[in-house]
Amino acid sequence: AQSVTQPDIHITVSEGASLELRCNYSYGATPYLFWYVQSPGQGLQLLLKYFSGDTLVQGIKGFEAEFKRSQSSFNLRKPSVHWSDAAEYFCAVGAYNNNDMRFGAGTRLTVKP
Amino acid sequence: DTGVSQDPRHKITKRGQNVTFRCDPISEHNRLYWYRQTLGQGPEFLTYFQNEAQLEKSRLLSDRFSAERPKGSFSTLEIQRTEQGDSAMYLCASSPQTARDGYTFGSGTRLTVV
């Protein structure tokens, strides 16, 4: 079955600084890849997705991610972080038909003023 | 349509009691999913429905757990004889048949077993 690893449990960045959150997946074929964000006590909101085509995908709130097949990675980036970006970020992978999407353990982002 | 709705938002129950949660998906979505999320972890897949048919169940879904989607619309998740280890956020999501655009999640039901 597919799986996801998010190596960083917690990241702290200063407001205005750039951000990169790492995600590595395991799946034998081309996966469906997603990044979600979760604020405390809330559900998950989709930031962006990839399933084919251009390997650099744009999402909401100024986020982007790049699919690198050779590295089995799908890292999330933002050029300038805002205080409102503080939240938990989850990378997820879906296999063919995407009927049981699997999530990583998440990366908690803290933004310093 | 206001998205995926879950009820209740919070539930506190005594160990050994039964609880039932409800999920109303986006009306045009024929797929519905249940996930469980414990503190500091990502959501873990529990089960998946396509219309009224339950097509996949995780081994996490013990015999005490049962999920239904009787008319292919709303779904219920029941936990019998609750244990403290069942304390978690239970998330429901839905998607169209082509799920490559990801799932839409509800706000979840927070269960606390005391």
Side-chain angles (χ1 to χ4, degrees), chain B residues 12-114:
Chain B
I12 300 174
T13 190
K14 292 183 178 179
R15 189 172 46 188
Q17 297 294 305
N18 299 343
V19 294
T20 299
F21 310 141
R22 177 180 170 122
C23 172
D24 287 90
I26 293 174
S27 56
E28 56 267 32
H29 286 178
N30 66 343
R31 289 190 177 189
L32 186 147
Y33 314 84
W34 284 100
Y35 281 78
R36 182 176 69 186
Q37 186 179 22
T38 53
L39 205 60
Q41 298 298 315
E44 297 172 294
F45 172 79
L46 291 179
T47 191
Y48 145 66
F49 290 85
Q50 184 166 301
N51 300 310
E52 66 276 9
Q54 189 175 18
L55 296 185
E56 191 162 340
K57 293 195 317 184
S58 163
R59 56 184 170 80
L60 294 175
L61 214 65
S62 76
D63 291 345
R64 298 185 297 106
F65 288 70
S66 62
E68 294 182 343
R69 195 182 183 197
K71 297 183 180 178
S73 56
F74 74 91
S75 175
T76 58
L77 178 68
E78 181 183 16
I79 309 175
Q80 297 182 327
R81 305 181 303 282
T82 52
E83 302 172 355
Q84 286 192 320
D86 297 330
S87 296
M89 174 80 89
Y90 290 85
L91 294 164
C92 176
S94 67
S95 77
Q97 178 63 27
T98 302
R100 63 185 187 183
D101 289 335
Y103 307 163
T104 301
F105 281 85
S107 297
T109 294
R110 168 75 65 187
L111 173 66
T112 302
V113 182
V114 298

Side-chain angles (χ1 to χ4, degrees), chain A residues 30-108:
Chain A
T30 301
Y32 297 109
L33 293 164
F34 308 89
W35 276 98
Y36 283 84
V37 61
Q38 185 179 36
S39 298
Q42 299 299 311
L44 286 83
Q45 181 184 21
L46 180 67
L47 286 175
L48 47 76
K49 59 186 183 286
Y50 171 82
F51 58 89
S52 68
D54 192 346
T55 56
L56 183 64
V57 293
Q58 303 297 320
I60 62 171
K61 304 184 178 186
F63 286 93
E64 66 178 27
E66 187 171 10
F67 170 58
K68 293 186 177 180
R69 185 188 301 275
S70 61
Q71 299 176 19
S72 298
S73 69
F74 189 57
N75 294 350
L76 182 71
R77 301 193 292 250
K78 186 168 185 178
S80 177
V81 170
H82 188 262
W83 64 266
S84 60
D85 293 325
E88 190 92 21
Y89 290 80
F90 294 96
C91 182
V93 59
Y96 172 75
N97 219 25
N98 198 24
N99 56 7
D100 63 346
M101 191 161 58
R102 304 300 171 100
F103 286 82
T107 298
R108 183 161 62 92

